[in-house]
Amino acid sequence: MLKDEIRVIGIDDSPFKKFKRGQVLVVGTIFRGGKYFDGILSTKVSIDGNNATKKISEMINNCKFKPQLQCIFLNGIAVGGFNVIDVKELNKKTKLPVVVIIRKKPNIEKIKETLIKINKKNKIKLIEKAGSVIPVGEIYMQLTGISIEKAKEILKIVCTRSLIPEPIRIAHLIASGITDGQSRGKA
Amino acid sequence: MLKDEIRVIGIDDSPFKKFKRGQVLVVGTIFRGGKYFDGILSTKVSIDGNNATKKISEMINNCKFKPQLQCIFLNGIAVGGFNVIDVKELNKKTKLPVVVIIRKKPNIEKIKETLIKINKKNKIKLIEKAGSVIPVGEIYMQLTGISIEKAKEILKIVCTRSLIPEPIRIAHLIASGITDGQSRGKA
């Protein structure tokens, strides 16, 4: 049995305008279970760049909450557009299980086509590495370093206010609220 | 009787290095009661400047949550160092009660001396306008546009995790986490 106060991090990026260059804010919120907001981390990654895995693993490994953390939740496998996260590498560097949360079933073939079109064929590997898309209730997940049963057990604890883990919902609100002056939409 | 889901905003600023010039981030978090994190707002104010009242009232008046908001909580009456908020003006512009939360009993005489020393004597008026410092449990408050009884009633609803209102605790974590990469300390 998992403790109700299991410490997890949920990660999301800020919105940005199409064709913008530069960096986007990435926010990680740390929760005890699905209710207690414990702290936040932030970093920046380049739009459509290649540094998301490095920046996010450093952000997690350097934080004071690291010894207590038990799971990483990502809102999709990319931040800042096509700055795709290598989930296997993130798992290896942080020694933490990684659960990618996906709201709508992704059209992997379409994503691959787009990556070829925009000359980012090298990212297809990363998408394939993320593993099978597993339905869970009304959403989907991809798992690294954790069993389906255990991931489902953690989801039950952390999805307190919506279909998605509370730390992802809040990371989304923060990232958009800081960047746009007002939070909006759903994670 | 107040509803448990009364919508309030808690405001805090980000830390900055002494003698720094420029702007600091000001974060407002919107809560329903003391548990449900509804959204966030942000703005920037100049360090030791005079635009806090204007910036904060605009931030609140322009937000989508405005029609539901019932109370403003401030963490002290200044942001960005000595950018003192005119609480009477903030109350007038937003038409919302303002509750200033103070963790430790302030030494008003000492603050006035400092303001004279740094040539900001004009801010003394704003500090006097904020009204008497009222003890409530282990903390203190200053009230504008609200009775002591009603303020105490709201505090009971919103102080769920610590001595201070949850939206202030979270605004503090967000402002420091975004600015320093990692949240720290207490509001």
Side-chain angles (χ1 to χ4, degrees), chain B residues 45-109:
Chain B
V45 303
S46 51
I47 293 175
D48 295 341
N50 306 300
N51 61 353
T53 315
K54 184 173 179 288
K55 287 304 207 68
I56 292 172
S57 46
E58 281 171 2
M59 175 178 87
I60 293 171
N61 284 336
N62 296 335
C63 86
K64 64 180 174 188
F65 307 96
K66 181 71 203 306
Q68 286 83 41
L69 275 182
Q70 295 195 51
C71 187
I72 299 169
F73 285 102
L74 299 177
N75 191 19
I77 60 161
V79 285
F82 285 103
N83 203 330
V84 183
I85 299 159
D86 182 334
V87 287
K88 296 281 174 290
E89 186 70 13
L90 180 61
N91 165 253
K92 206 172 119 192
K93 282 190 169 163
T94 61
K95 297 181 181 64
L96 290 171
V98 180
V99 178
V100 180
I101 296 292
I102 310 163
R103 239 181 206 285
K104 285 181 195 160
K105 193 169 172 122
N107 185 336
I108 301 282
E109 286 316 309

Side-chain angles (χ1 to χ4, degrees), chain B residues 8 10 12 60 62 66 84 90 96-97 110 149 157 171-172 182:
Chain B
V8 301
D12 202 3
I60 293 171
N62 296 335
K66 181 71 203 306
V84 183
L90 180 61
L96 290 171
K110 183 118 191 260
E149 293 65 38
I157 298 171
H172 176 82
Q182 174 162 195

Side-chain angles (χ1 to χ4, degrees), chain A residues 25 27 35-42 62-65 161 169-170 173-174 177-178 181-184, chain B residues 25 27 35-42 62-65 161 169-170 173-174 177-178 181-185:
Chain A
L25 180 68
V27 170
K35 287 179 188 160
Y36 192 87
F37 185 120
D38 237 10
I40 98 157
L41 308 178
S42 68
N62 297 333
C63 87
K64 63 181 174 188
F65 307 96
R161 303 279 184 182
R169 186 181 75 87
I170 303 295
L173 292 176
I174 295 171
I178 293 294
Q182 174 162 195
S183 56
R184 56 171 184 183
Chain B
L25 180 68
V27 170
K35 287 179 187 160
Y36 192 87
F37 185 121
D38 237 8
I40 99 158
L41 309 178
S42 68
N62 296 335
C63 86
K64 64 180 174 188
F65 307 96
R161 303 280 185 181
R169 185 180 77 85
I170 304 294
L173 293 177
I174 295 172
I178 293 295
Q182 174 162 195
S183 55
R184 54 172 186 184

Side-chain angles (χ1 to χ4, degrees), chain A residues 123-152:
Chain A
K123 310 247 175 183
I124 292 176
K125 262 200 324 277
L126 301 180
I127 289 174
E128 284 167 349
K129 266 171 116 172
S132 5
V133 175
I134 304 157
V136 46
E138 294 178 52
I139 60 170
Y140 300 86
M141 60 182 183
Q142 290 172 295
L143 306 178
T144 302
I146 186 169
S147 68
I148 296 181
E149 292 67 36
K150 194 163 177 200
K152 281 186 175 172

